[in-house]
């Protein structure tokens, strides 16, 4: 493993895949990998060629959590926690759809890394645990915020207080996994899912993601105001007239997210129906 990068990054047709690459530790995240993740997420958010992001792990595991094998260190834990917080926020606020491809274990911060993605695809062999209590620790990487929103308060407390290990089917029943896909089919499934997301209107998808992420913390009045502002942003892209043109020409729309405010005197074609 010496000399190999702890995080692999590859691009294919608008999809960037980040692979945690510490299989000898079941991809437990050490300080180097936390920093690499932070930098990679920041880079993905600033690269318009990236239209979707996949996070996965090498060697048959997703992530066994934060690497605590080093024992006590000279650096105060508060400074390391800041990097974790940056990773969680960058993933949550990334303007492109994100997919966690989970094989093997996803525990502790590793599970919360998966839950921080917009969609989670797991194989039947995947296992999940909020293992923190077994280590004398409390939730981190956004788990205290994510879990109650996904499963409700009582189930969140069950997972956090008992630190049980659950399988992929139970995780799906609790709305913590979006799809369970047999291992031989999972790569093709995620590839197809990524392609479908890449084909979508990037600005509108970013708006949808932000609206849904912020929704639970907003009143209906706030949500409606945010929707109106988001829709105004969408109408300033080339994707709205492209969708109309593609519909009339009976073809698949080619979305780019390009800025396309009409010039003075230019009137866009009307769709003749609802914009929603």
């Amino acid at each position: 493993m010496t000399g190999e990068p702890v995080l692999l990054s590859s691009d294919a047709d608008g999809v960037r895949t980040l692979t945690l690459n510490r299989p000898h530790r079941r991809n437990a995240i050490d300080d180097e990998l936390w920093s690499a993740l932070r930098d990679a997420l920041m880079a993905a958010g600033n690269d318009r060629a990236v239209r979707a992001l996949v996070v996965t792990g090498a060697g048959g595991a997703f992530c066994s959590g934060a690497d605590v094998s080093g024992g006590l260190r000279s650096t105060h834990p508060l400074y390391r926690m800041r990097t974790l917080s940056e990773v969680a926020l960058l993933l949550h606020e990334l303007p492109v759809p994100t997919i966690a491809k989970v094989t093997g274990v996803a525990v502790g911060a590793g599970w919360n890394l998966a839950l921080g993605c917009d969609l989670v695809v797991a194989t039947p062999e995947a296992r999940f645990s909020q293992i923190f209590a077994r280590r004398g620790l409390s939730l981190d990487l956004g788990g205290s915020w994510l879990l109650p929103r996904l499963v409700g308060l009582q189930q969140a407390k069950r997972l956090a207080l008992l630190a049980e290990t659950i399988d992929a089917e139970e995780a799906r029943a609790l709305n913590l996994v979006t799809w369970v896909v047999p291992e031989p089919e999972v790569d093709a499934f995620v590839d197809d899912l990524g392609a479908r997301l890449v084909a979508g209107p990037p600005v509108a998808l970013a708006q949808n993601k932000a609206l849904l992420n912020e929704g639970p913390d907003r009143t209906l009045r706030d949500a409606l105001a945010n929707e109106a502002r988001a829709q105004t942003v969408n109408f300033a892209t080339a994707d709205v007239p492209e969708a109309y043109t593609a519909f009339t020409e009976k073809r698949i729309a080619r979305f780019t997210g390009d800025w396309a405010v009409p010039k003075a005197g230019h009137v866009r074609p009307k769709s003749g129906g609802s914009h929603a």
Side-chain angles (χ1 to χ4, degrees):
M1 288 297 297
T2 303
E4 291 190 21
V6 295
L7 183 69
L8 305 177
S9 179
S10 61
D11 293 340
D13 301 321
V15 178
R16 177 163 296 173
T17 299
L18 300 179
T19 304
L20 311 182
N21 189 38
R22 300 186 75 227
H24 62 296
R25 297 288 302 162
R26 294 197 296 177
N27 301 317
I29 309 178
D30 62 0
D31 290 348
E32 183 184 3
L33 183 47
W34 282 122
S35 296
L37 265 175
R38 177 194 59 201
D39 295 345
L41 291 171
M42 192 175 299
N46 291 324
D47 189 344
R48 279 201 59 192
V50 177
R51 300 275 290 265
L53 181 82
V54 175
V55 181
T56 191
F62 182 76
C63 177
S64 59
D67 192 339
V68 296
S69 63
L72 295 176
R73 309 173 200 178
S74 59
T75 304
H76 195 286
L78 179 61
Y79 299 120
R80 297 199 300 275
M81 291 305 298
R82 287 177 181 169
T83 306
L84 270 69
S85 298
E86 290 172 349
V87 167
L89 284 172
L90 284 165
L91 183 60
H92 181 72
E93 295 175 353
L94 203 68
V96 300
T98 54
I99 306 165
K101 180 168 67 174
V102 181
T103 60
V105 297
V107 302
W111 191 6
N112 291 336
L113 181 67
L115 294 179
C117 294
D118 302 314
L119 304 166
V120 180
V121 182
T123 60
E125 298 78 19
R127 294 295 181 268
F128 304 87
S129 176
Q130 294 290 330
I131 201 170
F132 301 96
R134 295 191 216 166
R135 305 290 184 258
L137 298 169
S138 53
L139 303 172
D140 63 22
L141 208 71
S144 63
W145 189 89
L146 290 163
L147 283 172
R149 284 164 172 76
L150 292 169
V151 302
L153 185 57
Q154 284 193 337
Q155 288 294 340
K157 288 179 177 177
R158 167 209 160 186
L159 292 168
L161 300 180
L162 297 177
E164 297 172 328
T165 298
I166 64 174
D167 62 22
E169 287 296 346
E170 183 172 2
R172 180 169 61 176
L174 288 170
N175 295 322
L176 297 170
V177 164
T178 322
W179 296 278
V180 177
V181 179
E183 193 277 333
E185 303 170 17
V186 69
D187 289 343
F189 184 93
V190 171
D191 288 347
D192 177 70
L193 182 58
R196 290 161 59 193
L197 292 170
V198 167
V203 173
L205 294 188
Q207 300 289 335
N208 278 337
K209 176 173 176 174
L211 288 168
L212 292 170
N213 280 345
E214 296 167 3
D217 299 321
R218 300 290 188 268
T219 65
L220 175 59
R221 186 176 297 276
D222 291 337
L224 290 168
N226 287 341
E227 288 173 0
R229 285 189 286 269
Q231 212 67 296
T232 301
V233 171
N234 295 327
F235 280 118
T237 70
D239 291 343
V240 174
E242 164 62 13
Y244 171 77
T245 302
F247 175 76
T248 58
E249 294 177 356
K250 296 181 173 54
R251 61 172 174 81
I252 297 174
R254 295 181 289 272
F255 295 121
T256 64
D258 290 342
W259 177 255
V261 175
K263 296 181 180 179
H266 175 74
V267 179
R268 285 185 177 178
K270 296 181 179 179
S271 64
S274 171
H275 297 304

